[in-house]
Amino acid sequence: MLMSLSPHMADPLPLSALNDFLYCQRRAALKLIEGLRGDNEHTVLGNLAHAHVDTPGYEQRAGWELLRALPLFSDTLGLSGKADLVEVQRDSATCSITAARPVEYKKGPQRRWNNDDVQLCAQALCLEEMLGLVIPEGAVFHAAAQRRRDVIFDDALRGQTRAALAGLRALIAAGVIPPAELKPQCDGCSLRVVCLPEKTASPEARLFTPREYAS
């Protein structure tokens, strides 16, 4: 199911847009410039994987306080969104947060692309600005495998995250939808029915080849 949203998206940009941009720039442009959204079995399963963590609240576990569906923002980067889960530790005397790490829930296994890690790093950059802390690592929880994978926010990943944000803003400013291209990422994409990458990949069918007549 597709629905059209307003093409005029004011700052800040959603954190999830970084994931879209690195996964497929055409997908990001269709969403942010054309205002398209789509649902398929993969998005439905993803929503189910998020069902528990998307309920705002907190709990204690192994010395960490678990904050669910925590709103995030960065005025410096122009980003906003929410974290599936943020684990924090507090000073026992002041109750101030002394450590934090974001956790992102994904329905499937780790992909060959690191767009999930960039999205998680962007969450960490928001938290650093909000809390005044250095956040060295986070985690991605893969629901299908019930496995948690640690992600280190090193200089390389932070640099790639900032570069992706700059590229995303340039894409939006240009206002041009990249051409369709059939790629492995197309499998399972909720916008495939409007992107039509197969049409671009297939040669144009012609009934006949016109003859050239001498003048």
Side-chain angles (χ1 to χ4, degrees):
M1 179 181 67
L2 293 171
M3 56 183 176
S4 181
L5 302 179
S6 170
H8 304 292
M9 299 189 66
D11 283 342
L13 293 173
L15 282 160
S16 59
L18 286 170
N19 196 313
D20 285 327
F21 177 77
L22 289 176
Y23 188 73
C24 173
Q25 293 190 21
R26 178 173 171 83
R27 173 185 170 93
L30 288 172
K31 284 187 173 184
L32 295 174
I33 298 175
E34 295 293 334
L36 294 177
R37 292 291 185 273
D39 287 317
N40 60 13
E41 69 274 18
H42 298 283
T43 59
V44 171
L45 290 173
N47 291 337
L48 291 175
H50 284 80
H52 178 54
V53 291
D54 280 348
T55 302
Y58 68 93
E59 59 184 275
Q60 295 280 347
R61 186 181 302 170
W64 290 84
E65 181 179 338
L66 278 56
L67 306 177
R68 303 186 185 278
L70 182 69
L72 301 177
F73 65 88
S74 169
D75 291 334
T76 301
L77 299 176
L79 288 171
S80 71
K82 69 177 179 180
D84 291 338
L85 180 69
V86 176
E87 300 172 334
V88 302
Q89 290 182 326
R90 298 180 184 270
D91 183 275
S92 59
T94 64
C95 290
S96 60
I97 295 176
T98 57
R101 57 191 184 199
V103 180
E104 179 72 10
Y105 277 59
K106 297 297 180 183
K107 70 175 183 64
Q110 181 179 1
R111 296 167 171 169
R112 73 187 77 176
W113 310 282
N114 64 346
N115 46 311
D116 291 341
D117 293 2
V118 166
Q119 181 181 358
L120 187 70
C121 184
Q123 293 179 10
L125 294 176
C126 290
L127 284 169
E128 289 181 338
E129 184 172 323
M130 293 167 60
L131 302 176
L133 298 173
V134 174
I135 299 177
E137 64 179 5
V140 176
F141 180 79
H142 298 280
Q146 291 293 294
R147 186 177 70 87
R148 176 170 169 145
R149 175 174 59 86
D150 293 333
V151 178
I152 305 300
F153 304 133
D154 56 18
D155 290 341
L157 183 56
R158 288 170 182 266
Q160 186 177 7
T161 301
R162 294 181 184 275
L165 179 57
L168 176 61
R169 291 196 179 279
L171 177 70
I172 296 172
V176 177
I177 308 297
E181 179 184 353
L182 187 60
K183 299 179 289 187
Q185 296 95 306
C186 297
D187 293 336
C189 178
S190 60
L191 294 182
R192 187 168 186 166
V193 294
V194 292
C195 178
L196 300 176
E198 293 86 356
K199 180 174 176 58
T200 304
S202 302
E204 182 180 355
R206 304 189 65 172
L207 296 178
F208 65 97
T209 301
R211 292 179 59 185
E212 294 184 1
Y213 294 93
S215 56

